[in-house]
Amino acid sequence: MKKAFLTGNEAIARGAYESGVSFASAYPGTPSTEILENIAKYPEIYAEWAPNEKVALEAAAGASMAGARAIVSMKHVGLNVAADPLFTLAYTGVNGGLVIVTADDPGMHSSQNEQDNRNFAPFAKIPMLEPSDSQEAKDFIGEALKMSEMFDTPVLLRTTTRVSHSRSIVELGKRAPHEMRPYSKNPAKYAMIPAFAKKRRWSLKERLEALERYSEQFPFNKIEWGKNREVGIITSGVCYQYVKEVFGDEVSVLKLSMTFPLPKKLIGDFAEKVKEIYVVEELDPYLENQIKAMGIKVKGKELIPEIGELSPEILREKLKGEKSAAGFSPYPQLPSRPPVLCPGCPHRGVFYVLKKMKAAVVTSDIGCYSLGVLPPLESLDSLLCMGASISMGHGFKKALEAGGKDDIVITVIGDSTFLHSGITSLMDAVYNRSNTVNIIVDNSTTAMTGHQHHPGTGYNAKEEPAPAVSLEAVCRALGVENVAVVDSYDLRAVEKAVKDAMNCKNGPSVIIARRPCALLKGKGPTGLYAVKEEKCRKCKACLRLGCPALQVKDGGVFINPLSCTGCSVCAQVCTFGAIKKVGDE
Amino acid sequence: MEVKSIFISGVGGQGTILAGKVITTALVNLGYDVKMSEVHGMAQRGGSVITQIRYGGKVYSPLIEKGRADVLLAFEKLEAARYVEYLSPEGTAIVNDLEVPPASVLVGREEYPSDIVERLKEGIKKLIVVDAVGIAKECGEVRAQNMVLVGVLAGALNWPKEALVQVIREVVPPKYADVNVEAFERGWAIVAPLSRS
């Protein structure tokens, strides 16, 4: 048997390949991104980046309806965007198997919240599987597709950062081609007008009852009896690995892999055979509340934290009373090293300009540019969800007007985020006559998640040439009269465009500040800048850019030649002409 | 076999991910059960990065507990000081003799501690400080500093050298294979005589 050392995300992609999936769609989002990136490498599978998660799920629903096996993947908050089709898909069911992967981010390594998407399963009435390592991640895709076709339902596969981004050994299998199931017209199943939906609601209830019986027999829901039959632990996902790490076979474990619908009988049997039960789960008391509702006494969140990630260390402390063995720690506090905008980042100059503007508020959005909220740029005031910058700015502006104020409102959104869900927000601002200044920081990629293509880049998920959406054409078509396109590296042009837009009184204006991400191969700036020591007044104004290439040295400023990309922004900021391109003089 | 844990810390862009790939691929080839955990995305942009590797007969958790790592492999001194609490009292710290000042230090708001190696010496039994950048430069490719450090690690843990060399040749683009193997061997040579004596 061939083995490979895969991340959970790579294993999910492999599972899709081996299970005969032929359609995959996704929008990038940590920690889910690599699922589609890896699926796209299989020529047998059609794979695409969708503009957002709702579109991705709807496209996958269509592929399933046509009879293909389909997979759609997204980060936890992406499922909020896709929630509309999700809830009704439970009613219509599927034709070809359909798996929806939600990758949650407990601890918020790279997210704006840590919602526990297991709650979606009972809410949407969709069965759910939770793998605990890469082998299960691969195997459960096959299980999910089988279950999907057997019970006429989409299936949720829920991972977390530590499943998606941990590597473990996986046994590889061959691709089992899936015969397209024939599609036959059936509006009573697929067209959810109220008359049909009412009938499908009852069918959904029956399907869920059958799924609960299936869950009782599901081989991956299993009891592992330990030396001690008095203490039982019920757990799922990566927490199973933590439990085994800390307790080995000291205690008995009920590992739940299908966590909706729960195998109530199996849980009841386990409860009867042990004296004490602990529920070990990350985030919400999802299992705990359902098990308590079954009338079973368990201990859970009174011991185990409901905020942040769990770890073997936390279990050791909370369940065994063992203090963390934290080793030697020589400093009480060290300089922190938060993520920063890269040297040459095209967003930097835009934020520098914005900081000088007298705006009532600068609403922002999700992407690398979120980092502009931090010192020294500190140019942004809000971050809520994908696309919210433009609509929140619009609401802010209307509220100011209602209060008799005419202050300036600026919004900042990235190119990928604008295409994801900023277009409808801008439509709102046009339609309802909002004089907001909207800046699209266009770095021609989905940068934060590692440079994925989107409908504006001119390439698709398979790196093939694709039609490119023109941002300026979209804005004009929406009815924006003032659309300016500037080079993000040209501070004077950016400043002039912002000031011009601030004086516009005929609806929203859009400034497209355009420059490819400096990390894109072959697209970044070239050259090198250096400080002319004789001209430098040591005012340190350039340090306000927060560029990692600029450092304090002997009271002055030094540009690290290994980091400098040659973007020229610091040279434009220096009023004494002390920063020059190397080789220019 | 008992499970061993290697905690790698560094700064985004230093090649810790490739180092982790070489190490784990070799361990899998050697027949161990292996798990590795990394964090991507927002946590990566020039920030502090960590990779956790565990290997042995049967590995459950991909995460290492504080005070239980057998080796801390730090690509940068500040990131050594930050994560040394993960090292077991019996463990070995391999520290790249390199300072990459974070933004707050660059702009003069915070100071980079000047006594990291001295302080680490006080609390660690086995500390190996390596000028990986200097050695990599001598090999002709400064970016091969990660392979120097992998060499030191492999030597310190007495892994079969050939297993690592083979993987480096597999994962590094052919153009850079020789220089990376040389960097690895230079790292190996620093500790191999010590661990065999």
Side-chain angles (χ1 to χ4, degrees):
Chain A
M1 190 73 77
K2 210 181 158 202
K3 288 182 179 181
F5 190 58
L6 304 181
T7 61
N9 284 348
E10 289 167 352
I12 287 169
R14 180 73 195 184
Y17 166 77
E18 289 181 11
S19 310
V21 164
S22 56
F23 180 96
S25 187
Y27 181 79
T30 312
S32 73
T33 311
E34 304 82 5
I35 297 171
L36 191 99
E37 283 183 322
N38 281 285
I39 290 179
K41 291 176 189 165
Y42 295 109
E44 294 88 345
I45 308 178
Y46 170 83
E48 66 173 31
W49 291 122
N52 67 36
E53 295 86 352
K54 175 180 182 285
V55 173
L57 178 53
E58 289 156 353
S64 156
M65 186 176 164
R69 284 193 156 183
I71 185 170
V72 57
S73 48
M74 57 199 70
K75 71 182 290 170
H76 58 337
V77 286
L79 197 54
N80 301 338
V81 179
D84 198 359
L86 178 78
F87 280 70
T88 307
L89 264 172
Y91 284 50
T92 67
V94 303
N95 185 17
L98 173 58
V99 184
I100 300 152
V101 182
T102 165
D104 294 9
D105 190 16
M108 295 172 269
H109 293 282
S110 198
S111 303
Q112 65 271 38
N113 78 27
E114 61 171 5
Q115 67 187 52
D116 187 336
N117 272 11
R118 294 178 303 168
N119 294 299
F120 265 111
F123 190 16
K125 302 182 169 52
I126 288 172
M128 170 171 60
L129 300 180
E130 282 188 78
S132 74
D133 62 11
S134 300
Q135 181 70 53
E136 287 187 347
K138 192 202 82 167
D139 294 343
F140 287 9
I141 289 293
E143 292 292 333
L145 287 162
K146 195 169 81 180
M147 196 184 296
S148 172
E149 287 166 2
M150 204 188 292
F151 295 95
D152 187 13
T153 175
V155 177
L156 271 178
L157 184 115
R158 186 252 191 180
T159 73
T160 54
T161 300
R162 298 299 178 181
V163 173
S164 280
H165 285 169
S166 291
R167 283 180 189 275
S168 56
I169 296 171
V170 178
E171 285 188 0
L172 303 183
K174 287 206 173 75
R175 178 169 167 94
H178 177 75
E179 288 261 326
M180 281 272 286
R181 292 177 149 203
Y183 166 73
S184 49
K185 190 176 164 82
N186 187 357
K189 169 169 159 58
Y190 293 114
M192 287 300 96
I193 56 169
F196 294 155
K198 282 175 192 173
K199 288 191 182 134
R200 288 299 287 180
R201 176 67 187 87
W202 285 99
S203 145
L204 174 56
K205 182 176 158 60
E206 282 163 20
R207 284 177 276 154
L208 280 177
E209 284 163 0
L211 277 158
E212 190 179 322
R213 292 193 290 277
Y214 186 77
S215 188
E216 301 286 359
Q217 308 302 325
F218 189 61
F220 297 94
N221 285 338
K222 58 176 183 200
I223 297 172
E224 295 175 5
W225 292 112
K227 289 178 195 152
N228 181 339
R229 291 206 175 198
E230 305 220 318
V231 177
I233 294 180
I234 301 178
T235 187
S236 69
V238 76
C239 297
Y240 163 78
Q241 305 291 348
Y242 302 157
V243 166
K244 294 298 278 186
E245 179 72 33
V246 171
F247 292 98
D249 58 358
E250 279 172 44
V251 300
S252 297
V253 178
L254 170 54
K255 178 190 189 291
L256 294 175
S257 297
M258 183 166 175
T259 45
F260 188 77
L262 286 179
K264 287 186 186 153
K265 199 173 157 302
L266 180 68
I267 294 168
D269 288 349
F270 183 67
E272 266 178 31
K273 288 175 187 151
V274 295
K275 284 205 173 133
E276 255 187 308
I277 299 185
Y278 296 87
V279 178
V280 175
E281 57 188 327
E282 238 163 17
L283 304 179
D284 293 350
Y286 168 83
L287 297 171
E288 181 182 341
N289 287 347
Q290 290 183 71
I291 295 169
K292 280 182 173 164
M294 291 159 56
I296 297 170
K297 258 180 83 174
V298 299
K299 284 188 185 139
K301 290 297 166 191
E302 63 264 55
L303 296 169
I304 310 282
E306 63 184 321
I307 297 176
E309 278 193 305
L310 293 185
S311 66
E313 214 166 325
I314 291 172
L315 299 192
R316 219 178 273 285
E317 187 191 328
K318 303 293 179 188
L319 297 179
K320 281 188 144 179
E322 291 175 11
K323 272 275 154 218
S324 150
F328 171 61
S329 191
Y331 298 92
Q333 212 185 343
L334 285 166
S336 63
R337 195 188 297 277
V340 288
L341 292 175
C342 305
C345 175
H347 302 324
R348 178 172 286 109
V350 175
F351 290 146
Y352 181 81
V353 168
L354 287 187
K355 201 173 177 179
K356 295 200 288 186
M357 296 296 143
K358 297 219 165 10
V361 73
V362 181
T363 57
S364 178
D365 228 296
I366 312 277
C368 285
Y369 48 96
S370 309
L371 294 170
V373 77
L374 296 174
L377 293 162
E378 293 173 301
S379 317
L380 308 174
D381 299 313
S382 75
L383 182 158
L384 187 64
C385 66
M386 294 289 284
S389 54
I390 295 176
S391 18
M392 280 183 74
H394 159 67
F396 202 106
K397 181 73 181 172
K398 287 290 169 191
L400 286 177
E401 282 170 6
K405 288 183 180 164
D406 191 27
D407 299 15
I408 302 294
V409 169
I410 298 177
T411 80
V412 178
I413 189 167
D415 46 332
S416 192
T417 309
F418 178 71
L419 293 172
H420 177 285
S421 49
I423 296 175
T424 42
S425 301
L426 187 59
M427 194 186 298
D428 186 32
V430 172
Y431 174 54
N432 290 305
R433 299 182 191 281
S434 224
N435 285 325
T436 50
V437 176
N438 304 283
I439 304 176
I440 304 177
V441 284
D442 175 9
N443 61 2
S444 312
T445 186
T446 318
M448 179 55 93
T449 44
H451 301 118
Q452 289 74 33
H453 287 297
H454 61 62
T457 66
Y459 289 88
N460 65 21
K462 300 237 180 199
E463 299 283 341
E464 299 153 344
V469 172
S470 157
L471 299 183
E472 44 272 53
V474 167
C475 294
R476 289 197 183 102
L478 289 174
V480 180
E481 286 177 25
N482 313 295
V483 179
V485 181
V486 293
D487 176 355
S488 306
Y489 284 160
D490 186 343
L491 296 192
R492 226 176 260 175
V494 172
E495 186 165 338
K496 181 177 181 299
V498 174
K499 283 184 174 160
D500 287 351
M502 284 162 70
N503 290 325
C504 278
K505 300 295 173 202
N506 57 338
S509 43
V510 170
I511 300 160
I512 300 170
R514 181 170 287 152
R515 259 285 170 172
C517 171
L519 299 182
L520 281 175
K521 268 192 191 133
K523 299 269 184 74
T526 53
L528 182 65
Y529 282 75
V531 177
K532 297 266 167 210
E533 279 182 35
E534 67 279 8
K535 284 193 178 175
C536 176
R537 306 278 182 93
K538 303 187 176 180
C539 69
K540 295 181 184 160
C542 53
L543 293 181
R544 289 203 288 269
L545 287 166
C547 176
L550 301 178
Q551 4 189 311
V552 176
K553 198 174 175 187
D554 307 326
V557 174
F558 164 74
I559 298 178
N560 183 345
L562 294 176
S563 311
C564 178
T565 59
C567 76
S568 84
V569 167
C570 59
Q572 296 175 54
V573 165
C574 180
T575 46
F576 304 107
I579 300 178
K580 291 286 180 199
K581 190 165 190 176
V582 173
D584 265 9
E585 282 179 31
Chain B
M1 181 207 146
E2 202 184 318
V3 173
K4 284 201 180 286
S5 302
I6 301 165
F7 196 106
I8 304 178
S9 64
V11 180
Q14 275 194 301
T16 53
I17 288 183
L18 185 67
K21 186 170 180 184
V22 168
I23 294 165
T24 51
T25 308
L27 290 169
V28 171
N29 290 348
L30 288 167
Y32 294 110
D33 188 19
V34 188
K35 285 193 177 172
M36 171 164 96
S37 185
E38 284 168 355
V39 170
H40 307 212
M42 170 75 96
Q44 225 182 327
R45 292 272 172 263
S48 132
V49 290
I50 58 174
T51 297
Q52 309 184 49
I53 297 171
R54 307 191 70 227
Y55 68 103
K58 168 74 189 164
V59 180
Y60 288 108
S61 170
L63 299 182
I64 299 171
E65 297 175 59
K66 283 180 186 153
R68 289 172 190 257
D70 298 281
V71 180
L72 169 68
L73 180 63
F75 279 51
E76 199 271 347
K77 287 197 286 187
L78 186 59
E79 300 312 311
R82 196 185 312 283
Y83 294 106
V84 68
E85 62 173 339
Y86 279 85
L87 189 64
S88 130
E90 307 305 318
T92 302
I94 300 166
V95 179
N96 191 5
D97 193 7
L98 172 72
E99 292 184 7
V100 180
S104 59
V105 172
L106 294 180
V107 301
R109 267 191 292 118
E110 285 184 286
E111 269 193 39
Y112 195 103
S114 57
D115 57 350
I116 291 179
V117 170
E118 290 71 31
R119 293 269 200 108
L120 290 177
K121 268 183 195 155
E122 287 168 18
I124 299 174
K125 284 189 194 149
K126 281 173 253 170
L127 173 67
I128 304 168
V129 180
V130 187
D131 176 18
V133 174
I135 295 171
K137 273 187 188 159
E138 285 170 24
C139 297
E141 175 56 68
V142 65
R143 282 176 299 175
Q145 57 166 315
N146 54 353
M147 288 307 126
V148 175
L149 293 165
V150 170
V152 180
L153 173 76
L157 289 172
N158 234 326
W159 289 340
K161 190 165 113 182
E162 298 67 32
L164 277 295
V165 170
Q166 185 200 329
V167 173
I168 294 171
R169 292 202 177 277
E170 280 166 19
V171 305
V172 172
K175 215 167 80 178
Y176 299 103
D178 285 341
V179 70
N180 276 282
V181 169
E182 191 191 341
F184 169 82
E185 294 198 341
R186 289 281 306 272
W188 167 278
I190 293 172
V191 284
L194 300 176
S195 57
R196 301 239 164 77
S197 62

